Amino acid sequence: MKKYDVVIIGGGAGGLTVASGASSLGAKVALIEKERHLGGDCLHVGCVPSKAFIQASKDIYTARSKGKELGLDVSGSVDLGKVNERVQQSIIAIQKHDSDERFTSLGVDLYKGAGTFTSANTVRVDDQEIYGKRIVIATGSRPLIPPIEGLNDAGFWTNENLFKQKELPENLLVVGGGAIGLELSQALSRLGSKVTIVEKGKKLLSTEDESIQKAAVYILEKELTIHLNSEVKKVQITSNGRKRVTIHKGNEHYTEEYDQILLAVGRKPNSERLNLNAAGVFQDERGFIPTNEKLQTNVPHIFAIGDINGKFAFTHVAGEEGKVVVQNAILGVPKKMSYNHIPWNIYIQPEIFHVGMTEQQARKFGIKFSVYEVPLTDVDRFISDQEADGLIKIITDQNGKIIGAHAIGNGSGDWMQAVVFAMKKGRKIGDLSQMIYPYPNHAAAIKRTADLYWRSKLFSGTIPKLTKKYISWFR
């Protein structure tokens, strides 16, 4: 039996971070991956293909809408097969960074197959059993398939098969109005499908700040048909191959026909094949594996990172958790994972950016706060780009320290990073005003918002009265 300093189950973002970090420090590492290629869902069916898909839809939408404004006549239908060819090209290009050769060259032993615990320190892969002084579970998640009558017989799409499709449905039903559902709904609508979203909740984007949520819904409703408080109960195949869907809304129910169904109702952890009982590892009723601040499970030498621990289902979080595990499991240096300044983006157009508290959260926790908000119609670059839909909002405590920042605007996931840095370093909103922003750029939205802080401090109250007297004397 081969023995390792660390055995990693799962070759996605988190697992690869641990593998590269641990091997670079001199640890003997085994990496187990059940799929043919490393990279996990993010690379093959998640972040990378979805963003390539969204960009293709944006290109089409821009050509049609902006072209018409400029006197161009853009016509024709989209070839979904061509779109997905471009998506696959993006995957192939990035796959080189996560190749088997890269990790074997680092000294990592790769095992292709499903890893299953046989004890708290041993894992079986096919007919091989290996020993790990430390073990990291990074098996990720997959689309949740709801128990809807007739759904399996009727067939459906998820993010796992969407990016291999060649026929664009004329009428598409999207079940689920979360981030994935909204991103793909808008993209497919812009490619040419008539898209209807059925969402069980009372509103969309419930975790976002109210100002952002309202602005986003206003924009999305221009392109999508959205049914809230609604649930799909039954699917039947019609004689012409379409899908007849029964939808319940309160005490009412109705039927509609669609060419295809896309599921986006959440994620399910990949934990059932791990045989966690053999290792004594606890999992909750949903199958997620709880961890402490050091990312240890209830068995101290076994760690869980990424989607599998049920905290934040983001690739960048899995990578950060991987770094924490390297310190704890490989170096033995106590390190706690902090989620205080985790940003995220929702890649609809315009993008939504989120970090820290929302205004409703600050109010709920009884925090005394101030809000500084600017519409993008006040920012010259967005006006010149003809992309001024959106706003930026920064929330501070009474001392000006940033406790939350939110935006909806073209590229906000990029130009809002300065705020993340300021929060991480404990800087105040006024510091963002002191930076010099090249004119005209998108990040000037941050400056305009931060300037509101100084206006409230310098140009109200007693200071203007004192400066008026001083100026009069100075003359």
Side-chain angles (χ1 to χ4, degrees):
M1 180 187 298
K2 285 191 175 182
K3 294 187 176 181
Y4 295 91
D5 296 308
V6 60
V7 172
I8 304 156
I9 310 174
L16 295 182
T17 299
V18 178
S20 60
S23 60
S24 297
L25 291 170
K28 189 175 182 182
V29 179
L31 176 60
I32 301 168
E33 172 54 47
K34 64 181 176 61
E35 301 296 340
R36 179 183 175 189
H37 296 294
L38 298 175
D41 271 17
C42 178
L43 175 57
H44 299 288
V45 295
C47 320
V48 170
S50 66
K51 302 313 165 284
F53 194 82
I54 289 167
Q55 183 60 44
S57 75
K58 182 179 178 180
D59 291 345
I60 294 295
Y61 180 80
T62 300
R64 285 173 173 162
S65 60
K66 302 300 182 183
K68 186 176 182 180
E69 290 176 8
L70 298 172
L72 295 176
D73 183 13
V74 180
S75 60
S77 57
V78 172
D79 185 334
L80 186 60
K82 292 292 184 182
V83 171
N84 280 330
E85 281 180 17
R86 195 165 96 169
V87 169
Q88 296 303 317
Q89 290 170 5
S90 298
I91 295 171
I92 292 168
I94 296 174
Q95 178 68 63
K96 297 174 184 177
H97 307 309
D98 295 338
S99 67
D100 290 5
E101 292 74 19
R102 180 197 166 200
F103 284 88
T104 55
S105 70
L106 290 172
V108 176
D109 286 351
L110 288 180
Y111 293 85
K112 292 299 180 72
T116 303
F117 281 99
T118 53
S119 75
N121 285 98
T122 54
V123 179
R124 182 178 296 280
V125 187
D126 294 332
D127 59 348
Q128 300 180 76
E129 192 171 37
I130 58 177
Y131 175 95
K133 184 178 180 182
R134 305 282 188 271
I135 298 177
V136 180
I137 304 170
T139 50
S141 65
R142 63 185 185 278
L144 176 66
I145 310 302
I148 297 172
E149 182 182 347
L151 179 64
N152 288 328
D153 292 334
F156 53 86
W157 289 354
T158 69
N159 66 292
E160 291 188 338
N161 59 10
L162 168 62
F163 307 117
K164 295 180 180 179
Q165 302 301 324
K166 296 183 179 181
E167 297 292 332
L168 187 70
E170 182 178 346
N171 287 281
L172 175 70
L173 174 67
V174 177
V175 185
I180 295 174
L182 293 178
E183 288 177 0
L184 296 179
S185 291
Q186 187 187 50
L188 284 157
S189 174
R190 291 181 167 194
L191 291 175
S193 292
K194 182 179 179 181
V195 180
T196 299
I197 296 176
V198 170
E199 166 56 38
K200 191 175 180 179
K202 294 181 180 180
K203 63 179 182 179
L204 299 177
L205 301 165
S206 59
T207 60
E208 301 306 316
D209 187 271
E210 289 177 352
S211 299
I212 304 298
Q213 188 266 344
K214 290 177 182 177
V217 170
Y218 176 76
I219 292 167
L220 289 169
E221 285 181 335
K222 295 178 182 179
E223 302 181 53
L224 308 169
T225 300
I226 302 169
H227 297 302
L228 301 175
N229 292 310
S230 301
E231 191 172 1
V232 174
K233 290 294 187 180
K234 186 177 182 179
V235 182
Q236 297 170 291
I237 292 291
T238 65
S239 57
N240 60 0
R242 303 190 78 207
K243 305 175 196 298
R244 181 178 293 118
V245 181
T246 301
I247 301 170
H248 285 206
K249 185 173 184 179
N251 295 324
E252 301 177 358
H253 68 273
Y254 58 95
T255 60
E256 297 284 352
E257 289 188 6
Y258 300 93
D259 299 304
Q260 189 54 265
I261 297 172
L262 172 65
L263 297 181
V265 294
R267 307 287 294 178
K268 183 175 181 178
N270 293 324
S271 57
E272 66 274 7
R273 296 176 63 181
L274 291 170
N275 193 27
L276 294 171
N277 289 335
V281 174
F282 173 78
Q283 59 183 323
D284 65 20
E285 65 279 359
R286 299 174 300 163
F288 292 103
I289 303 173
T291 61
N292 62 16
E293 292 176 315
K294 296 180 182 179
L295 300 169
Q296 295 167 301
T297 67
N298 62 300
V299 181
H301 69 272
I302 300 178
F303 299 77
I305 61 176
D307 291 11
I308 195 69
N309 66 26
K311 290 182 170 64
F312 285 90
F314 300 125
T315 297
H316 53 287
V317 173
E320 195 64 26
E321 289 176 337
K323 295 176 185 178
V324 171
V325 165
V326 169
Q327 292 193 51
N328 286 317
I330 306 304
L331 298 178
V333 178
K335 174 73 174 179
K336 295 181 179 180
M337 178 65 196
S338 172
Y339 300 95
N340 291 336
H341 303 122
I342 296 295
W344 67 73
N345 303 328
I346 298 176
Y347 293 94
I348 61 170
Q349 188 186 5
E351 288 178 17
I352 293 174
F353 169 88
H354 178 128
V355 65
M357 286 189 177
T358 62
E359 184 177 345
Q360 55 264 37
Q361 286 175 324
R363 197 180 300 118
K364 177 182 177 181
F365 293 124
I367 297 172
K368 292 183 178 180
F369 64 92
S370 297
V371 173
Y372 304 93
E373 183 175 317
V374 169
L376 297 186
T377 50
D378 287 355
V379 183
D380 293 356
R381 180 56 188 273
F382 288 99
I383 295 171
S384 63
D385 287 350
Q386 297 290 303
E387 296 283 358
D389 284 342
L391 62 96
I392 174 175
K393 181 175 187 176
I394 298 178
I395 305 165
T396 72
D397 64 14
Q398 293 301 91
N399 297 317
K401 188 175 180 180
I402 303 168
I403 60 174
H406 310 273
I408 178 169
N410 192 31
S412 62
D414 295 321
W415 50 261
M416 284 293 286
Q417 286 302 302
V419 184
V420 180
F421 183 78
M423 290 182 70
K424 186 76 172 178
K425 297 299 181 181
R427 306 305 291 263
K428 296 182 179 182
I429 185 173
D431 295 320
L432 293 170
S433 181
Q434 303 305 308
M435 293 171 58
I436 298 175
Y437 299 76
Y439 181 84
N441 74 357
H442 299 102
I446 298 173
K447 179 174 175 57
R448 290 297 299 266
T449 310
D451 285 349
L452 294 178
Y453 170 81
W454 287 118
R455 289 196 187 108
S456 68
K457 295 294 182 184
L458 299 178
F459 305 132
S460 62
T462 59
I463 291 180
K465 296 177 183 178
L466 293 173
T467 54
K468 183 178 181 180
K469 290 182 179 180
Y470 172 79
I471 292 169
S472 176
W473 170 82
F474 181 73
R475 290 175 180 170

